């Protein structure tokens, strides 16, 4: 199809797309809980009602049912990244095995083991609490769409096999197209057990219900405005009250941390996704996607895509928009230019689906850090713990991060807190205008690398050398 015709067709497919997260429109959304008014006291205050905070509150009560736990959320549980992501729940704690090997080669065996245990525990928790979140442990395929990516996947598969990681399978062109039939797919790396697909908002809402059932007191539309020491504990002011707590766990992720020295370690990057209308049996058959794995391509500017329980396709990624100064705004939750680009890419990947329309188009901010995987720490003499920087792979890893935050608050050294990954921080981002210029130059360089057979220019090589090897 000619470029102009492709653009016109892609635009037509978006004509009725609702500018809201498909997940958050689900009719199973629970009622919003009242805001806190007046004063509260508790043993543990959790700030943030996304996965990070919800897992922390739940695990705290499971560890000690007598612990008095309060959770506050500035808007509604699950409304931010936890209700807008692709629903890929990965075992990896390091934003993929390659990133983990590059950063913590001496710990990677332990990190992978802990990640597998973490995903098993999520699956068990979903079953035990009856959380209806369409959990399917279908695995994931990283697909190559350029010849150099085939060789990179083949070489990586050989490398990890030598390290003892034998669970991944290299797929040639015919093998990958037998799994999912796109004319753009040239090869793939299949992880059959390390990723589950789920409905992200339903997971958040299910965790909310489980927390309430265990006695956690949850206040929505209740922002934590400041955090100060108060005797042997901490005090947090909210719009209509105040909370005193022995310990505080911060699960605010991309939102400005109440521990100000943490703020330079993350920047907001806006990511966007499309959701198709439900596919017919004939449309599904035309692409042969029978095993329902999640997929992602291997470019620096990559796409991620998966099938939902009602046979829609979610198609997201590619663009990563950093607003100057790290500005966060509801206006940035939507990107029509990116939606059009994504729609064109979708029909290039799946020309069999010409004529399919998109029902939803949305975006949201990801808490990006320079090493792509979460970092952790404490403040106020160990009375406050935090975790942030999941960089888009927090659906599963936030549960591990919740355990780390609780371990840190306990003051007892554990297998988790002994990890170099937990004990070290990423490099902070520079102030403006250097952050804007550096991120812009990196994004331009990554696009050139994708267009030039994967060759990385001097800027990317320099970033790699100091541990800032970016992708989208």
């Amino acid at each position: 199809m000619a470029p102009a015709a492709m653009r016109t067709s892609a635009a037509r497919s978006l004509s009725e797309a609702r500018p809201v997260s498909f997940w958050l429109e689900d009719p199973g959304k629970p009622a919003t809980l009242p805001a806190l008014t007046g004063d509260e006291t508790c043993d543990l205050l959790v700030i943030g009602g996304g996965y990070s905070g919800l897992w922390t509150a739940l695990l705290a009560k499971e560890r000690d049912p007598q612990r008095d736990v309060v959770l506050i959320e500035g808007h509604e549980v699950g409304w931010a990244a936890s209700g807008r992501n692709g629903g890929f729940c990965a075992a990896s704690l390091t934003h993929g095995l390659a990133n983990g090997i590059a950063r913590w080669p001496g710990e990677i065996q332990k990190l992978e083991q802990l990640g597998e245990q973490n995903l098993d525990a999520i699956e068990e928790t979903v079953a035990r609490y009856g959380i209806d979140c369409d959990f399917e442990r279908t695995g994931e395929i990283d697909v190559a769409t350029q010849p150099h990516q085939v060789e990179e996947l083949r070489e990586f598969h050989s490398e990890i096999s030598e390290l003892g990681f034998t669970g991944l399978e290299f797929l040639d062109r015919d093998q990958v197209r037998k799994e999912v039939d796109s004319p753009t797919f040239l090869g793939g790396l299949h992880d059959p057990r390390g990723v589950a697909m789920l409905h992200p908002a339903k997971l958040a809402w299910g965790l909310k219900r489980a927390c309430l059932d265990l006695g956690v007191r949850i206040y929505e539309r209740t922002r934590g405005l400041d955090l100060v020491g108060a005797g042997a504990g901490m005090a947090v002011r909210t719009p209509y009250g105040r909370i005193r707590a022995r310990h505080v766990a911060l699960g605010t992720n991309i939102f400005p941390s109440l521990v100000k020295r943490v703020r330079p370690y993350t920047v907001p990057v806006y990511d966007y996704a499309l959701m198709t209308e439900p596919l017919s049996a004939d449309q599904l058959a035309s692409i042969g996607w029978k095993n329902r794995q999640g997929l992602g391509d291997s470019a620096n500017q990559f796409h991620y895509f998966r099938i939902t329980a009602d046979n829609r396709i979610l198609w997201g990624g590619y663009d990563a928009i950093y607003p100057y100064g790290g500005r966060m705004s509801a206006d940035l939750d939507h990107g029509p230019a990116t939606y059009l680009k994504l729609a064109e890419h979708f029909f290039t990947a799946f020309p069999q689906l010409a004529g399919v329309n998109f029902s939803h188009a949305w975006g949201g901010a990801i808490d990006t850090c320079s090493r792509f995987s979460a970092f952790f720490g404490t403040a106020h003499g160990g009375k406050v713990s935090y975790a942030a920087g999941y960089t888009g792979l927090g659906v599963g890893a936030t549960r591990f991060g919740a355990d780390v935050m609780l371990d840190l608050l306990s003051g007892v050294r554990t297998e988790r807190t002994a990890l170099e990954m937990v004990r070290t921080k990423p490099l902070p981002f520079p102030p403006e205008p250097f952050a804007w210029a550096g991120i812009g130059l990196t994004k331009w360089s990554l696009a050139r690398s994708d267009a030039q057979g994967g060759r990385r220019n001097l800027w990317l090589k320099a970033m790699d050398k100091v541990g800032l090897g970016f992708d989208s």
Side-chain angles (χ1 to χ4, degrees):
M1 186 182 293
M6 169 68 82
R7 176 152 293 211
T8 299
S9 177
R12 190 178 299 119
S13 72
L14 291 163
S15 63
E16 297 185 20
R18 291 175 53 78
V20 64
S21 168
F22 167 79
W23 312 115
L24 293 175
E25 280 206 321
D26 192 277
K29 179 181 178 181
T32 304
L33 296 171
L36 171 69
T37 56
D39 291 348
E40 264 277 22
T41 60
C42 58
D43 297 323
L44 173 66
L45 170 63
V46 179
I47 301 180
Y51 297 140
S52 189
L54 291 165
W55 280 118
T56 303
L58 184 70
L59 292 173
K61 291 295 284 187
E62 288 185 343
R63 289 186 181 197
D64 178 4
Q66 301 308 311
R67 185 181 304 185
D68 188 20
V69 180
V70 169
L71 182 150
I72 61 172
E73 160 56 40
H75 191 63
E76 296 175 351
V77 161
W79 78 276
S82 298
R84 301 173 190 233
N85 63 82
F88 287 64
C89 186
S92 177
L93 305 175
T94 60
H95 209 278
L97 184 54
N99 191 50
I101 291 172
R103 298 185 188 280
W104 302 287
E107 288 186 345
I108 192 60
Q109 301 283 352
K110 174 56 66 177
L111 288 167
E112 287 294 295
Q113 178 189 3
L114 289 171
E116 291 169 8
Q117 292 172 357
N118 185 64
L119 182 55
D120 288 344
I122 291 172
E123 184 172 18
E124 188 274 333
T125 299
V126 166
R128 178 157 44 93
Y129 288 103
I131 298 175
D132 177 17
C133 62
D134 305 331
F135 189 99
E136 297 180 284
R137 199 154 175 178
T138 52
E140 182 177 16
I141 303 175
D142 291 330
V143 297
T145 58
Q146 298 291 334
H148 73 272
Q149 295 168 9
V150 178
E151 293 311 308
E152 289 171 355
L153 288 180
R154 195 190 307 272
E155 291 171 7
F156 181 63
H157 181 250
S158 177
E159 175 190 349
I160 61 176
S161 296
E162 291 177 4
L163 291 173
F165 298 107
T166 58
L168 277 65
E169 177 187 7
F170 178 79
L171 306 177
D172 63 22
R173 178 183 179 276
D174 290 342
Q175 288 172 318
V176 74
R177 290 191 63 173
K178 197 171 182 179
E179 295 292 335
V180 183
D181 189 15
S182 167
T184 66
F185 293 177
L186 304 179
L189 196 60
H190 183 206
D191 179 356
R193 288 284 298 164
V195 183
M197 297 294 108
L198 52 75
H199 187 305
K202 283 184 175 180
L203 175 61
W205 299 335
L207 291 172
K208 173 183 176 180
R209 178 176 55 80
C211 285
L212 291 170
D213 288 346
L214 291 182
V216 177
R217 300 193 300 287
I218 297 177
Y219 298 97
E220 295 180 286
R221 302 194 184 281
T222 302
R223 282 186 60 210
L225 300 177
D226 56 38
L227 174 68
V228 297
M234 302 298 299
V236 173
R237 183 171 57 88
T238 70
Y240 308 122
R242 189 176 72 150
I243 307 168
R244 294 174 67 102
R246 290 180 56 228
H247 292 116
V248 177
L250 299 177
T252 49
N253 296 315
I254 192 50
F255 297 98
S257 177
L258 292 180
V259 177
K260 292 183 179 179
R261 60 181 164 82
V262 176
R263 296 179 185 179
Y265 289 99
T266 61
V267 294
V269 170
Y270 279 79
D271 178 62
Y272 300 92
L274 306 177
M275 185 73 84
T276 71
E277 62 193 357
L279 301 186
S280 68
D282 287 344
Q283 288 169 328
L284 280 172
S286 74
I287 57 175
W289 200 342
K290 299 182 293 295
N291 294 320
R292 305 179 62 81
Q293 310 96 326
L295 290 101
D297 63 51
S298 302
N300 292 308
Q301 292 183 285
F302 63 89
H303 306 86
Y304 54 88
F305 37 115
R306 49 80 55 98
I307 291 182
T308 65
D310 60 348
N311 294 327
R312 302 168 185 263
I313 294 179
L314 177 141
W315 180 267
Y318 191 77
D319 269 347
I321 308 299
Y322 169 69
Y324 184 85
R327 179 176 68 92
M328 295 184 65
S329 167
D331 293 341
L332 296 171
D333 287 345
H334 302 291
T338 297
Y339 299 153
L340 183 58
K341 196 181 301 181
L342 285 172
E344 292 181 45
H345 295 172
F346 176 85
F347 291 114
T348 299
F350 296 117
Q352 311 96 305
L353 298 180
V356 165
N357 292 316
F358 295 101
S359 62
H360 295 76
W362 72 92
I366 292 170
D367 60 325
T368 300
C369 76
S370 61
R371 72 183 192 188
F372 299 115
S373 54
F375 61 93
F376 313 91
T378 61
H380 293 276
K383 293 181 287 188
V384 176
S385 64
Y386 58 83
Y390 290 96
T391 316
L393 211 68
V395 179
T398 44
R399 183 191 176 280
F400 173 82
D403 263 330
V404 171
M405 283 196 283
L406 292 171
D407 288 351
L408 292 171
L409 289 175
S410 76
V412 177
R413 182 182 175 89
T414 68
E415 181 180 41
R416 287 178 288 263
T417 61
L419 292 167
E420 182 186 354
M421 174 190 173
V422 171
R423 293 184 290 104
T424 60
K425 298 275 194 304
L427 290 173
F429 290 94
E432 298 294 8
F434 304 107
W436 168 260
I439 292 171
L441 179 57
T442 300
K443 187 175 179 181
W444 175 83
S445 299
L446 290 170
R448 280 182 60 86
S449 176
D450 285 337
Q452 296 183 349
R455 291 189 295 275
R456 296 173 80 81
N457 63 16
L458 291 175
W459 176 258
L460 292 180
K461 289 177 180 177
M463 294 296 98
D464 291 340
K465 191 170 183 179
V466 297
L468 294 169
F470 285 91
D471 61 18
S472 66

